[in-house]
Amino acid sequence: KNGILDIGGSQLPVAVDTDARLIPQTTFFDIPRHLLRLREIMRDLTLGEKHLLLIGNQGTGKNKLVDHLLQLLKWEREYIQLHRDTTVSALTVQATLVEGQVVWEDSPLVQAVQYGRTLVIDEADKAPLEVVCILKGLVEDGEMTLSDGRRILRDAASASEKVIPIHPDFKMFLLANRPGFPFQGNDLFRECGDVYAPHVIENPDRDSEVELLRSYAPDVDVSALQRMSSAFTELRQHVEDGLLAYPYSTRELVNVSRHLQRFPGQSVGDALRDILDFERYDQHALNTLREVLLRWGIPLDVSGSEDAVNVAVERRLPQPVLVERWLLSRVDRVPKISEVDVEVRNCTYMLDVKRGIKIEEIHEGRAARFTEEFNRFRLPLATSKYDTESVAEAVVLPGGGGLCALVERTATGSLSLILRDLDGQGTGCDRIDASFGLRAPLRHDTPVKMFILGPRSFGLAGERRMYTIELGVEPTASELTLPKSFFGPQSEKRGAEAPMWNTDFSSEGVVSVWVPGSDTVAVVHVASRKARRFMVPGLRTHTLWALGPEELVVRDADGSLVHLNVAFRSLDAHL
């Protein structure tokens, strides 16, 4: 705006009267990670830095970032690419064919110095160290001697046949891969990192990468792009660990996405073949690739014929057989009904949330064939020499709310929660540790019920307490405690019968609790935080089933069944 380029608060004037032939033109899409890097580069240029070092794996967008910035600023560019056979003289002169004759001219480096252009040196890590030291001397000392005797000087009073003054607008961008495996280049940062402003350019984060792929391939299914990005993120970690050699960068993903956009009939696995064939003759690498891609629903080497469908065998049910006859009769026992005081308190402070825990061994069930199994994964349970964890219960929230698993430590009986979205897009989960008071101190084996309350809420019930947990940006929790008088004075002692909970209709906001052998049943309305107690004379409760939110069947200790109708909107109940 008004001749000023502003990226995130960093501002530079746009050049005028420049040669359009020397200004790079590139296709660039604004994604959050790239805009952040451009802002950082602009900040250094604003502060007076003229020579920058961009270091990162191949295919992460170093050239794209520099070319796009020069395009926005309308700065003229000179470009040179180094390699292992580059010599010092090759930096200063270049051979050009003019009218059938070879003519030696000033190199892009000399022209950039002389005319105040921006010099982009690509693959700087491939050059011998003596070449790198020459570049360092030019930046640090402002001096360089050419092969024909001319000298480049920063403080030269004026230009002459033997002296080339460094133009005040001269800038240099060095682009290099990081040292070490698998690029095996020189350690450019160690040699000259102190005279350049360094910037590390990495592959974009998953959200930015998917946004970039959607820009190149708007007609490709976004779930396929997300799966490719997640698979390549895992492959890059294998590269860091030395298990694979090829870097699997964003550039490869962009090429695959463009291929799928142009040829929509091809599968993702076929489109990846041009990249994955690098590892085809390494059996270990091929097995690693197949395992990782299959985990994200991208099959390799699928025959597409006889094994394309794998569903469960259909079995016929046996003929029904009469096993019992029931004698139904009305009883004259009238339940005694009373309100129960429920203690309610906010216990969100008890929740210790850990996010982004990696899930291992994710396998897509429908990657290579059709089956009822969608995916299979292993939850990250803690194990140690003296204690292990196991999944006690789990529920799946309706409407794609995700999986909620209750995890129990075998030695201490302490409980935790593991939460994971089941959309098949992520590799992580969240863990909630909390000191839930669901068990008496001496009864670690007391059963705990887990139940659904809504699309983003669930509950836990045990002993005389119930916890409701609402998921969101930050989860919240409430504790509901029934009075001890309901369960009796001996209820929390060792050997006493523990309260039992029925949560069959918890999604409608109603749960029931009873103590085996007692004549009392309590019905809790979770939403209103109210409870009612029903005492049936002569009843010794053995088991309780819920036929609906207002209808219970209680089995007596003598084997008889009692049908109890109860409603919170009425003041009575009947058998």
Side-chain angles (χ1 to χ4, degrees):
K1 183 178 180 179
N2 299 326
I4 300 295
L5 175 64
D6 189 325
I7 300 181
S10 298
Q11 297 181 349
L12 282 174
V14 177
V16 294
D17 299 329
T18 53
D19 190 346
R21 296 172 298 176
L22 296 176
I23 298 174
Q25 303 293 324
T26 183
T27 302
F28 189 89
F29 296 103
D30 294 335
I31 61 175
R33 180 59 65 90
H34 284 171
L35 290 177
L36 179 63
R37 294 292 171 262
L38 286 175
R39 185 185 69 176
E40 294 172 350
I41 295 173
M42 285 268 293
R43 183 185 302 159
D44 277 352
L45 294 173
T46 304
L47 295 175
E49 295 285 353
K50 291 191 174 184
H51 310 295
L52 284 74
L53 168 63
L54 275 62
I55 190 167
N57 292 349
Q58 71 180 47
T60 56
K62 299 184 292 293
N63 287 83
K64 281 277 187 181
L65 288 171
V66 172
D67 288 349
H68 183 61
L69 181 62
L70 298 183
Q71 179 182 353
L72 294 176
L73 292 171
K74 296 185 178 180
W75 287 359
E76 298 175 348
R77 181 196 68 172
E78 294 286 350
Y79 178 85
I80 186 171
Q81 187 179 58
L82 305 185
H83 48 82
R84 64 180 182 178
D85 296 325
T86 301
T87 61
V88 175
S89 61
L91 283 178
T92 59
V93 293
Q94 63 179 0
T96 305
L97 191 64
V98 178
E99 296 181 355
Q101 295 183 347
V102 176
V103 178
W104 294 93
E105 297 180 345
D106 287 339
S107 69
L109 184 150
V110 177
Q111 295 186 45
V113 168
Q114 189 171 5
Y115 301 110
R117 297 167 183 163
T118 300
L119 176 66
V120 178
I121 301 180
D122 200 5
E123 304 291 351
D125 61 298
K126 304 298 190 295
L129 287 180
E130 59 267 20
V131 175
V132 174
C133 292
I134 290 294
L135 295 174
K136 178 181 179 180
L138 175 62
V139 173
E140 187 175 28
D141 303 329
E143 182 177 348
M144 182 177 180
T145 302
L146 306 183
S147 57
D148 58 2
R150 291 180 298 167
R151 298 178 65 195
I152 296 176
L153 295 176
R154 176 188 299 149
D155 301 324
S158 60
S160 64
E161 292 184 359
K162 295 296 184 180
V163 176
I164 302 176
I166 297 179
H167 197 284
D169 293 334
F170 168 66
K171 297 176 181 62
M172 186 189 304
F173 285 82
L174 253 65
L175 313 182
N177 295 319
R178 60 177 177 80
F181 181 87
F183 308 106
Q184 306 299 340
N186 60 57
D187 195 345
L188 187 71
F189 183 77
R190 183 188 63 188
E191 299 299 330
C192 58
D194 56 332
V195 298
Y196 292 91
H199 292 268
V200 177
I201 309 299
E202 298 176 333
N203 288 293
D205 58 90
R206 181 176 177 273
D207 292 340
S208 296
E209 191 169 59
V210 172
E211 184 178 336
L212 177 65
L213 299 181
R214 291 185 65 183
S215 301
Y216 280 101
D219 298 330
V220 178
D221 184 10
V222 66
S223 64
L225 302 179
Q226 291 171 339
R227 286 187 284 116
M228 287 196 302
S229 178
S230 298
F232 268 55
T233 300
E234 190 169 345
L235 290 176
R236 291 164 194 156
Q237 185 57 50
H238 286 313
V239 174
E240 294 290 333
D241 298 337
L243 302 177
L244 296 173
Y246 197 74
Y248 301 102
S249 65
T250 300
R251 178 168 58 198
E252 280 74 34
L253 272 183
V254 168
N255 291 335
V256 172
S257 302
R258 295 173 65 182
H259 182 92
L260 293 174
Q261 174 72 15
R262 186 174 181 182
F263 303 100
Q266 283 200 347
S267 67
V268 177
D270 290 338
L272 286 170
R273 290 288 297 273
D274 290 342
I275 300 171
L276 304 182
D277 280 348
F278 281 94
E279 311 283 6
R280 181 157 294 275
Y281 298 102
D282 184 342
Q283 190 60 42
H284 172 73
L286 186 60
N287 291 337
T288 301
L289 286 172
R290 184 178 289 112
E291 178 183 350
V292 171
L293 294 175
L294 196 61
R295 187 176 301 146
W296 292 102
I298 305 174
L300 293 179
D301 304 326
V302 178
S303 60
S305 56
E306 66 276 0
D307 294 331
V309 177
N310 180 22
V311 298
V313 178
E314 181 178 340
R315 301 181 184 274
R316 298 184 65 85
L317 295 176
Q319 293 297 322
V321 178
L322 179 64
V323 295
E324 288 186 0
R325 292 180 183 272
W326 292 358
L327 178 61
L328 302 180
S329 62
R330 294 194 63 84
V331 295
D332 296 330
R333 291 177 289 182
V334 178
K336 297 180 180 179
I337 306 171
S338 60
E339 299 291 335
V340 177
D341 294 328
V342 180
E343 179 185 346
V344 182
R345 69 185 182 110
N346 188 314
C347 59
T348 303
Y349 68 91
M350 296 170 52
L351 304 182
D352 181 14
V353 183
K354 301 179 179 66
R355 300 190 182 276
I357 301 175
K358 185 175 177 59
I359 292 180
E360 303 291 345
E361 300 184 24
I362 303 177
H363 300 278
E364 294 290 335
R366 300 179 181 177
R369 58 184 61 86
F370 177 79
T371 175
E372 283 96 343
E373 178 184 303
F374 185 68
N375 62 21
R376 182 173 66 255
F377 52 90
R378 185 184 298 274
L379 293 177
L381 303 182
T383 58
S384 65
K385 182 178 180 181
Y386 304 103
D387 201 358
T388 59
E389 283 186 337
S390 60
V391 178
E393 283 207 33
V395 296
V396 176
L397 301 182
L403 171 73
C404 305
L406 180 65
V407 177
E408 176 183 10
R409 286 189 176 270
T410 56
T412 62
S414 61
L415 302 171
S416 301
L417 297 167
I418 294 181
L419 313 175
R420 183 184 184 239
D421 289 333
L422 295 180
D423 57 2
Q425 308 301 332
T427 60
C429 63
D430 298 337
R431 183 185 179 99
I432 299 178
D433 295 322
S435 54
F436 297 118
L438 293 168
R439 287 171 170 162
L442 300 178
R443 297 200 302 216
H444 291 166
D445 57 345
T446 301
V448 174
K449 295 286 290 185
M450 190 176 195
F451 52 90
I452 298 171
L453 290 173
R456 299 294 294 169
S457 60
F458 62 95
L460 303 171
E463 294 284 358
R464 62 189 185 94
R465 291 185 177 87
M466 180 171 59
Y467 292 86
T468 62
I469 299 172
E470 186 77 25
L471 301 179
V473 179
E474 292 295 335
T476 60
S478 299
E479 180 187 73
L480 284 70
T481 306
L482 296 175
K484 289 185 179 181
S485 59
F486 170 75
F487 302 99
Q490 306 296 323
S491 61
E492 293 190 358
K493 291 188 177 181
R494 182 186 291 272
E497 290 284 358
M500 306 293 291
W501 291 79
N502 182 288
T503 59
D504 293 344
F505 288 88
S506 61
S507 60
E508 299 188 36
V510 177
V511 297
S512 305
V513 59
W514 77 98
V515 177
S518 71
D519 60 356
T520 303
V521 175
V523 179
V524 182
H525 195 273
V526 181
S528 62
R529 306 297 200 257
K530 294 180 179 180
R532 299 176 74 185
R533 175 169 51 191
F534 302 88
M535 184 181 297
V536 182
L539 178 66
R540 291 179 299 160
T541 307
H542 180 274
T543 312
L544 183 146
W545 298 279
L547 303 183
E550 300 175 352
E551 193 172 2
L552 306 176
V553 171
V554 183
R555 180 187 175 190
D556 203 338
D558 61 6
S560 62
L561 301 177
V562 177
H563 187 195
L564 181 64
N565 289 277
V566 57
F568 268 83
R569 60 180 176 271
S570 64
L571 298 178
D572 61 348
H574 64 272
L575 301 179

